[in-house]
């Protein structure tokens, strides 16, 4: 299905298990678990503490039974945004860590693994399933683990945009592009109209392809990433379709002449859902760390003012590789993305002599500590 250029072999993290390392996730009520998981949840909640060494001792017999039962056909996958403790648990049992699209490739490029267990969020499990080999089964550790940006761009919320824009301009003149961080249904809607799915790594290239079609681009979501690509490519005329439930209620028929003119003149129409995690970062945080001699790298889901101020921006995988390889040669990096990812990177780089700080640690905003992905944290041991 995929050639070698799409394969991704992640590095094992250098986050070593220590006796004091504890699980960062809070304990959840039993009714948060699927019925099949409750017996295990009861055992987990009854453990004397949440130290990783305690949990490993409890988990190991179960994992040994699982690997014996599936005869080496089991593959564990986790996203970079999982806490370092979960990352270490997954790696301890021969699992792999990656970005959202990379996780899908890891499964597809390992056809000998027929049972894929994903510890991240729902749209990532869907993407793994879409690209999986026919014989591969994909499971998510917690189906309630979602993505707020994806949940603000459900198919029923976006469908009015497709319908109204197609009616006003003709479906042949609307080219949808959806982000990897969307549901399988939205990806299908996009593909059915000749559009494309992009990642944070290739979004600029996908937009360049889309612009060459001489159509209006409907980008679903992320609003901020769309604004950033417009900035990079010099796209000036932008119109906005509301995100979330407001998008489901929005109609061009109810808009005034000035708003309709914006849509008529727009080269790019943004469906306005976004990642709340990345809105915590500010431009002056970048300036602070620049003055301290740090190279700043942020995710393209950050607001445009932050993108303009940071030295570099890129996907989670780009950030991880750029820093761990000390590409800038400074050994000092300030990172603007999800907190667990930054903390994992910080721990990994300690053994490499590379200093990593969270961009939000800059003393420019009272009480700012960045933000973790709360929904992904619903995956516990």
């Amino acid at each position: 299905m995929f050639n070698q250029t799409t394969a991704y072999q992640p590095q094992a993290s250098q986050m070593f298990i220590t006796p004091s390392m504890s699980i960062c996730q809070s304990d959840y009520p039993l009714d948060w678990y699927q019925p099949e998981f409750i017996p295990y949840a009861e055992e987990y909640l009854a453990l004397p503490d949440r130290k990783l060494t305690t949990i490993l001792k409890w988990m190991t017999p179960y994992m040994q039974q699982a690997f014996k039962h599936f005869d080496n056909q089991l593959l564990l996958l986790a996203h970079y945004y999982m806490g370092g403790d979960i990352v270490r648990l997954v790696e301890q049992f021969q699992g792999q860590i990656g970005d959202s699209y990379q996780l899908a490739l890891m499964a597809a490029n390992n056809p000998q693994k027929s049972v894929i267990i994903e510890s991240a969020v729902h749209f990532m499990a869907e993407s793994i399933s879409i690209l999986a080999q026919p014989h591969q089964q994909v499971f998510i550790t917690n189906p309630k683990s979602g993505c707020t940006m994806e949940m603000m761009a459900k198919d029923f919320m976006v469908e009015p945009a497709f319908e109204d824009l197609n009616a006003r301009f003709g479906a042949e003149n609307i080219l949808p592009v959806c982000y990897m961080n969307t549901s399988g249904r939205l990806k299908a809607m996009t593909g059915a109209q000749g559009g494309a799915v992009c990642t944070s790594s290739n979004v600029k290239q996908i937009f360049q392809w889309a612009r060459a079609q001489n159509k209006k681009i409907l980008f679903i979501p992320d609003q901020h990433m769309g604004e950033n690509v417009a900035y990079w490519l010099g796209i000036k005329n932008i119109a906005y379709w509301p995100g979330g439930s407001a998008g489901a209620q929005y109609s061009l028929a109810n808009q005034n002449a000035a708003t309709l003119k914006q849509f008529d003149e727009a080269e790019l129409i943004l469906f306005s859902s976004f990642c709340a995690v990345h809105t915590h970062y500010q431009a002056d945080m970048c300036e602070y760390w620049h003055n301290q001699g740090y190279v700043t790298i942020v995710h393209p889901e950050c607001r445009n003012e932050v993108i303009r101020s940071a030295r570099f921006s890129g996907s989670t995988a780009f950030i991880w590789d750029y820093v761990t390889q000390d590409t800038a040669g400074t050994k000092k990096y300030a990172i603007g993305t999800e907190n667990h990812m930054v903390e994992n990177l910080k721990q990994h780089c300690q053994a490499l002599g590379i200093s990593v700080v969270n961009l939000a640690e800059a003393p420019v905003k009272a009480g700012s500590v960045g933000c973790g992905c709360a929904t992904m944290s619903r995956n516990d041991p």
Side-chain angles (χ1 to χ4, degrees):
M1 182 182 295
F2 299 98
N3 59 38
Q4 283 301 108
T5 60
T6 62
Y8 178 78
Q9 183 58 44
Q11 298 178 351
S13 79
Q14 297 188 34
M15 295 177 286
F16 300 104
I17 295 175
T18 63
S20 61
M21 185 181 287
S22 298
I23 290 293
C24 62
Q25 280 85 350
S26 301
D27 288 347
Y28 297 125
L30 278 177
D31 59 4
W32 279 36
Y33 294 91
Q34 295 169 258
E36 300 88 344
F37 291 176
I38 288 179
Y40 304 101
E42 289 175 332
E43 291 183 9
Y44 171 69
L45 295 173
L47 293 175
D49 55 56
R50 297 294 173 265
K51 292 180 180 178
L52 204 54
T53 48
T54 301
I55 292 168
L56 271 173
K57 184 178 179 180
W58 166 69
M59 284 185 66
T60 297
Y62 286 119
M63 295 305 300
Q64 289 173 338
Q65 291 177 35
F67 279 107
K68 182 178 180 180
H69 175 78
F70 290 111
D71 191 25
N72 202 35
Q73 296 179 31
L74 185 64
L75 176 61
L76 306 181
L77 299 175
H79 192 267
Y80 285 112
Y81 287 5
M82 296 300 299
D85 37 35
I86 301 295
V87 168
R88 289 303 294 123
L89 284 174
V90 170
E91 288 185 331
Q92 192 76 10
F93 299 110
Q94 296 82 52
Q96 297 184 2
I97 314 300
D99 208 343
S100 53
Y101 181 48
Q102 292 169 347
L103 296 179
L105 295 181
M106 289 171 189
N109 287 323
N110 283 281
Q112 75 279 12
K113 304 293 187 180
S114 60
V115 180
I116 315 298
I117 310 296
E118 181 254 23
S119 184
V121 295
H122 195 267
F123 81 80
M124 295 182 192
E126 278 191 329
S127 298
I128 294 170
S129 183
I130 289 170
L131 296 185
Q133 305 284 352
H135 67 281
Q136 290 179 313
Q137 294 179 291
V138 180
F139 301 89
I140 183 172
T141 50
N142 187 352
K144 295 181 180 179
S145 179
C147 166
T148 52
M149 176 169 56
E150 182 271 330
M151 289 187 282
M152 290 171 64
K154 289 295 187 183
D155 55 304
F156 73 90
M157 300 172 180
V158 179
E159 192 171 16
F162 273 74
E163 292 176 346
D164 277 19
L165 294 172
N166 287 347
R168 186 173 182 85
F169 303 109
E172 69 278 7
N173 296 312
I174 300 295
L175 185 62
V177 174
C178 73
Y179 190 22
M180 190 73 178
N181 299 26
T182 55
S183 69
R185 289 184 178 184
L186 199 53
K187 291 181 176 74
M189 289 170 58
T190 298
Q193 193 156 313
V197 179
C198 73
T199 68
S200 53
S201 296
N202 69 8
V203 61
K204 187 187 295 186
Q205 290 86 344
I206 293 294
F207 264 63
Q208 289 170 331
W209 164 81
R211 294 186 80 189
Q213 313 304 309
N214 294 316
K215 301 180 181 182
K216 290 181 181 291
I217 302 170
L218 171 62
F219 184 54
I220 317 146
D222 170 286
Q223 175 189 331
H224 299 133
M225 182 180 292
E227 290 171 341
N228 292 331
V229 179
Y231 163 68
W232 293 328
L233 299 182
I235 299 173
K236 303 298 183 183
N237 294 326
I238 304 174
Y240 292 84
W241 194 283
S245 58
Q249 306 298 323
Y250 195 78
S251 172
L252 292 182
N254 298 328
Q255 306 311 309
N256 58 33
T259 300
L260 292 176
K261 183 180 179 182
Q262 289 179 340
F263 279 93
D264 290 343
E265 296 178 350
E267 179 182 354
L268 173 62
I269 300 166
L270 297 177
F271 190 85
S272 303
S273 67
F274 55 86
C275 173
V277 167
H278 290 97
T279 62
H280 284 256
Y281 296 104
Q282 300 177 352
D284 51 0
M285 295 175 180
C286 294
E287 297 308 316
Y288 172 83
W289 289 113
H290 293 160
N291 292 333
Q292 306 303 313
Y294 280 75
V295 173
T296 54
I297 313 177
V298 300
H299 196 280
E301 291 173 18
C302 290
R303 290 175 295 189
N304 186 246
E305 64 183 58
V306 180
I307 295 293
R308 290 171 181 258
S309 298
R311 293 286 185 261
F312 301 99
S313 65
S315 68
T316 307
F318 168 84
I319 294 171
W320 185 275
D321 292 342
Y322 194 95
V323 174
T324 57
Q325 296 169 18
D326 190 26
T327 306
T330 63
K331 292 190 178 295
K332 297 174 72 175
Y333 297 90
I335 307 302
T337 191
E338 197 271 348
N339 276 7
H340 292 120
M341 158 66 179
V342 179
E343 186 60 29
N344 293 345
L345 186 59
K346 184 183 298 186
Q347 292 185 36
H348 179 97
C349 286
Q350 284 178 350
L352 304 176
I354 298 172
S355 174
V356 175
V357 297
N358 193 313
L359 195 71
E361 293 176 38
V364 297
K365 181 181 178 183
S368 177
V369 291
C371 185
C373 181
T375 50
M376 196 172 296
S377 293
R378 290 179 178 177
N379 294 284
D380 67 12

